[in-house]
Amino acid sequence: MFGKVHEIYSSISGEGISQGIPTVFVRFAGCSLRCGKTQDRKLWCDTPYALGPNQGEENSISEILNQIKILDPNQQYQILCTGGEPLEGENGKKTYVLANEVFQIRTANYRPYPRIRIETNGKEKLSLNEPVVYTMDYKLPGSGMESEMNFENFFILEKRHNSLDEIKFVVRDRIDFQRSLEVISENKINLNLLYSPVHEELDARELIEWLKKETPPNARLSLQLHKYLWGNQKGV
């Protein structure tokens, strides 16, 4: 059922349209997907240390809010819930309660970023009305997890009409890229699209050439800035 928090820390947003913004990260423990772990290829998850449901601690909403206040006393940072998977099981309940608390506090105090951003894996159903911003993965064939995707989420994102919502494609090879184009066409997607190469497997320059040629709508290359600054470390 999860519901445990692995870590809370401040850094900058490393990818997507919020890249570079000072951010407080709330990382939940537990995720049922194992991306990239196919018959002859290794797990590519950035945070394997947070995949297990017990790799975290029980924190109440008030405890989470207090830690956020310590890291961001002036309420100027974006807040981002990630994982693990922040919408799976009890994680999702806690994430949405936190989102509503933050929204009320920051709206009342006229602070920026009242809606927390949620990085989610595409398996869990999104909410139409919660005061949040979504970065939703679509797991391509190279992940081995495409069968877990919830296609209803495309409809929900379209109905939300939130200009900050985004869909992320992590691309392992040309097969993945071609599949992303099919998914966009089949689901008539008109949202912010992020394309990221699998770290140390696909050269970003090659992915750029594919994007230049095919020009999927509203698409941009998204590299993981934090890895270029600090390497593959925790808490950055």
Side-chain angles (χ1 to χ4, degrees), residues 189-220:
I189 297 172
N190 185 28
L191 293 161
N192 299 304
L193 301 178
L194 310 177
Y195 277 85
S196 298
V198 174
H199 190 60
E200 297 181 342
E201 288 200 36
L202 176 64
D203 190 329
R205 291 168 294 188
E206 188 169 8
L207 179 55
I208 289 169
E209 294 304 316
W210 299 343
L211 288 170
K212 285 166 58 180
K213 182 177 180 181
E214 302 295 343
T215 59
N218 305 313
R220 69 183 72 193

Side-chain angles (χ1 to χ4, degrees), residues 104-119:
Q104 291 179 31
I105 293 168
R106 293 202 168 188
T107 300
N109 294 328
Y110 303 101
R111 291 297 190 264
Y113 311 115
R115 297 173 183 264
I116 67 170
R117 181 173 288 280
I118 298 174
E119 290 185 344

Side-chain angles (χ1 to χ4, degrees), residues 11-12 21 29 37 46 62 65 94 97 102 115 133 170 183 193 195 198 206 209 215 223 226 229 231-232 236:
S11 184
I12 59 167
I21 293 175
K37 191 172 177 58
D46 287 336
S62 61
L65 287 170
K94 193 168 284 187
V97 172
V102 169
R115 297 173 183 264
V133 178
V170 179
V183 170
L193 301 178
Y195 277 85
V198 174
E206 188 169 8
E209 294 304 316
T215 59
L223 300 180
H226 49 288
L229 293 173
N232 198 17
V236 295

Side-chain angles (χ1 to χ4, degrees), residues 135-159:
T135 298
M136 188 194 83
D137 275 23
Y138 181 88
K139 304 299 185 184
L140 295 165
S143 72
M145 295 289 126
E146 189 176 15
S147 63
E148 299 290 337
M149 295 299 93
N150 186 337
F151 283 85
E152 186 181 357
N153 285 334
F154 292 129
F155 174 74
I156 293 169
L157 287 171
E158 181 183 3
K159 286 198 70 175

Side-chain angles (χ1 to χ4, degrees), residues 60-66 68 75 79 93-109 113-116 130-132:
S60 67
I61 296 299
S62 61
E63 288 172 332
I64 295 171
L65 287 170
N66 186 57
I68 292 172
Q75 300 177 24
I79 298 171
K93 295 178 184 179
K94 193 168 284 187
T95 293
Y96 285 132
V97 172
L98 178 65
N100 279 279
E101 291 282 346
V102 169
F103 185 77
Q104 291 179 31
I105 293 168
R106 293 202 168 188
T107 300
N109 294 328
Y113 311 115
R115 297 173 183 264
I116 67 170
E130 296 287 355
V132 300

Side-chain angles (χ1 to χ4, degrees), residues 82-97:
T82 186
E85 171 49 50
L87 295 185
E88 189 167 355
E90 294 295 319
N91 289 357
K93 295 178 184 179
K94 193 168 284 187
T95 293
Y96 285 132
V97 172

Side-chain angles (χ1 to χ4, degrees), residues 65-82:
L65 287 170
N66 186 57
Q67 290 188 61
I68 292 172
K69 186 177 180 180
I70 292 170
L71 292 168
D72 178 26
N74 296 318
Q75 300 177 24
Q76 296 294 318
Y77 288 17
Q78 172 185 241
I79 298 171
L80 189 152
C81 288
T82 186

